[in-house]
Amino acid sequence: MLTLEGLRITWPDFTLTADLTVPSGARVAIIGPSGAGKSTLLAAIAGFQPLGAGRILWDGRDLSPLPPGQRPISILFQDNNLFPHLTATQNVGLGLRPDLRLSPVEQDRVATALARVGLDGYGARKPGALSGGQQSRVALARVLLRARPLLLLDEPFSALGPALKAEMLALVRDIATESGATLLMVTHDPRDAERITDQTVLVADGHAAPPRPTAALFADPPPALRDYLGK
Amino acid sequence: MTLWAGGAVAALLGLLTLGTLAAVALRAGGSVLLSVADLSALRFTLEQAALSAALSVSLAVPVARALARRRFPGRRWLVALMGAPFLLPVIVAVFGLLALFGRHGLLNAGLALLGLPGVSIYGLHGVVLAHVFFNLPLAVRLLLQGWRAIPAERFRLAAALGFSPADVARLIERPMLRAVLPGATLAIFLVCLTSFAVALTLGGGPAATTVELAIYQAFRFDFDLGRAALLAGIQFVLCGGATLIAFRVGLPATEAPGLDRPVERWDAGAPLLRLQDAVLITLAALFLMIPLGLVAVDGVPGLLALPAPVWLSALRSLGVAVASSALCGGMALALALARTASGRAAFDLAGMLPLVASPLVLGTGLFLLVNPVADPAFWALPVTALVNAAMALPFALRALQPALDRIEATHGRLADSLGLTGWARLRLLILPRLRGPLGFALGLAAALSMGDLGVIAIFAGPGGATLPLQVYRLMGAYRMAQASGAALLLLGLSLGLFWLFDRGGRGDADA
């Protein structure tokens, strides 16, 4: 269970507060107008954004003292999710060992993960020689191997076309279901939220609201969400 | 660990610059009276630096403007050539200038044919000429950068409003020049303040001695360590003062992508303007290329008959250059990593310290420190490598630091989220991504060290010369055939070293 306890992130001209819990295994969309602080919220959970106040807990354990790499978290950013000078195999292998000194067994696991995302035989290619969709698959194969209980997505597929994006989100849903991971996913597209999440956190007016069932939220949107959706 | 390594390098640099200064100050402490010769060296240093800077920049303005608004075959190549003098060993350039302007040079041969009296290249005007040869291209590149920074849309707007070339100059170009010229002038002034090899070869005598040269003479001719120390103190104050002013004015950045791309211009189509620009570009190109061409032409016969000591000194120089390059690259990397990791400006400052010191001041200080405990001639090569590395460090940092900041900005979070730290981060992320700038920095350091004629002149014994010093000695002994062969060898080795390192950084282009 993820707990944001009295969370406060402050800039000179902006404050974001959050006080909420996300049950383990939930799939949660984070939606709200641009500039509201959706990415900032993810960055705080991942350990990139210093907190003004409050704590972030995973299963009762305070994450604040942990550097990003030691948190029980995998995160995919909007871009730069792969190292362009490393092959697909190396990029995935980083999920097992950051120094890439992989044993034969670990190398097999990397190959299996690549096959799982449909990239059998693409391991020797560098990102530049892969399509946008294939690059996303490599990043997801790494998420699969890292097997962290919390998966954060900061709109990593926003550069893909609608069909490809839907395909990737389906793959994310499968991976999350198989591993039992908790999914937090920033999106600005209500259909994405409805497609693969069961709950939604609305970030607006400097506040991240506790998650509500996605279908119910969109059936009866609060004023801030209604403004955002333009309904 | 990153901070430890960076801290150690910063401490070493502090010791090297301020520690040697302390040694110098202690030694000079007794005699604070400046002789007439010292004062005249001080005056000459300031005079030639001011003249060189003013002349370089004012000649560079029309040339840069011509290059900025013209497209022609070979333009790219010419702009690249403008970067070459920075890598050029001073002694080689002097050799080329002598072949053109010297007593037996092309110019005097031509004047003699016409029955006109010859000109001498020695003295103030020779020193200034050599400095303009080195710094005109630098100034042109800095100003081209200024022109590049003007948005192309502004020229389009000017065309739409029917601006004449004079209007463009007044409303678009002059404001840019007002912003760029002070920094460019000051940068060149700074470079010329520490001029040693040019003054050594083309100056000399009471009327044309720089402070750096006076330090050398105090060593070599009088072995008056107290006077050398006093002069080193003067030079330090001079450089320190100029650097402080430079920090306030702001020196221009040397990183300049896209200089080879011309901008579409609608205001410069008049035939007379085109002719003017063509003449200017041709003259500038000839001024650069003829001396270098003469080095090549004169050098080839001598190259085949170089005696063994020259080849030996070439080997020594290669060793010093490679060691200095590795040292410089390692120090720059450690400082840049520490700067990025900590965000502390102290590491920037440490990297700038060598700008305040001059090679001869460092050399004097190190000599004073080494002399009582060991034979300076024995330490000549290691000391040269170290001083050269320190001198190239600010330039290496200018190449590495922005690149490193970019790597951290684009991939730092990904690396953090994967727990990529320490050696693994250096090996898997930073070194592969930094390969290009690192190759450039190593090449720059190697070429600068290869061509350096400064500190070695103080330390070297009768044997143990580096190649630049060997060329100088051959010139002094009027063995011109060998000297020209050795100069060509030096030119080839300097440019070759730079090319090798820089090339090595460019592999792996698919990433």
Side-chain angles (χ1 to χ4, degrees), chain B residues 5-22:
Chain B
V9 170
L12 176 71
L13 287 170
L15 214 63
L16 196 60
T17 48
L18 305 177
T20 49
L21 181 69

Side-chain angles (χ1 to χ4, degrees), chain A residues 48 69 84-85 98-99 126 146, chain B residues 416-417 420 427-428 433 508:
Chain A
F48 294 112
H85 55 283
D99 64 2
K126 290 184 180 174
R146 262 169 78 77
Chain B
D416 286 345
S417 79
L420 200 58
R427 179 168 58 87
L428 293 172
R433 307 284 317 149
D508 219 15

Side-chain angles (χ1 to χ4, degrees), chain B residues 11-314:
Chain B
L12 176 71
L13 287 170
L15 214 63
L16 196 60
T17 48
L18 305 177
T20 49
L21 181 69
V24 161
L26 276 178
R27 181 70 196 221
S31 58
V32 280
L33 274 179
L34 292 177
S35 71
V36 178
D38 297 340
L39 283 175
S40 113
L42 181 60
R43 202 183 51 232
F44 180 76
T45 303
L46 291 170
E47 190 184 1
Q48 58 83 18
L51 269 176
S52 304
L55 217 59
S56 298
V57 169
S58 35
L59 290 174
V61 170
V63 176
R65 187 175 52 199
L67 276 172
R69 64 188 180 194
R70 299 293 164 207
R71 303 161 178 222
F72 53 91
R75 181 184 183 281
R76 210 188 148 92
W77 186 83
L78 187 60
V79 172
L81 183 76
M82 297 271 174
F86 192 73
L87 301 173
L88 202 61
V90 176
I91 194 82
V92 172
V94 166
F95 213 90
L97 289 171
L98 282 175
L100 181 54
F101 299 103
R103 189 173 304 151
H104 305 291
L106 285 185
L107 180 66
N108 276 329
L111 289 176
L113 273 181
L114 298 174
L116 293 169
V119 293
S120 163
I121 191 180
Y122 296 97
L124 174 65
H125 53 279
V127 170
V128 171
L129 176 75
H131 285 161
V132 171
F133 177 80
F134 274 104
N135 293 303
L136 174 65
L138 173 68
V140 167
R141 281 181 71 94
L142 290 176
L143 295 181
L144 262 182
Q145 237 165 286
W147 256 283
R148 279 293 314 168
I150 300 174
E153 293 78 6
R154 216 164 285 173
F155 290 111
R156 205 175 57 193
L157 179 62
L161 296 174
F163 278 22
S164 71
D167 297 329
V168 168
R170 185 164 42 88
L171 295 168
I172 299 179
E173 296 176 325
R174 236 171 269 164
M176 178 278 291
L177 286 174
R178 261 200 298 279
V180 174
L181 281 182
T185 313
L186 204 55
I188 294 170
F189 182 78
L190 253 177
V191 172
C192 295
L193 270 189
T194 57
S195 174
F196 169 69
V198 165
L200 177 70
T201 45
L202 297 177
T209 297
T210 59
V211 177
E212 290 275 279
L213 182 56
I215 296 174
Y216 166 78
Q217 288 168 347
F219 263 103
R220 278 281 138 169
F221 304 153
D222 316 325
F223 202 69
D224 184 346
L225 291 183
R227 178 149 180 269
L230 179 67
L231 286 162
I234 295 174
Q235 179 72 12
F236 189 88
V237 172
L238 213 55
C239 291
T243 310
L244 278 182
I245 298 170
F247 267 114
R248 299 196 56 159
V249 176
L251 287 183
T254 43
E255 199 193 16
L259 280 190
D260 49 351
R261 269 175 295 146
V263 171
E264 184 75 52
R265 293 280 293 266
W266 292 267
D267 57 301
L272 205 62
L273 270 187
R274 298 169 67 118
L275 181 69
Q276 174 202 313
D277 285 353
V279 169
L280 282 169
I281 291 170
T282 309
L283 281 179
L286 288 179
F287 179 52
L288 283 184
M289 279 154 49
I290 290 180
L292 290 183
L294 288 176
V295 169
V297 171
D298 290 354
V300 171
L303 196 58
L304 302 172
L306 283 179
V310 172
W311 290 110
L312 248 149
S313 64

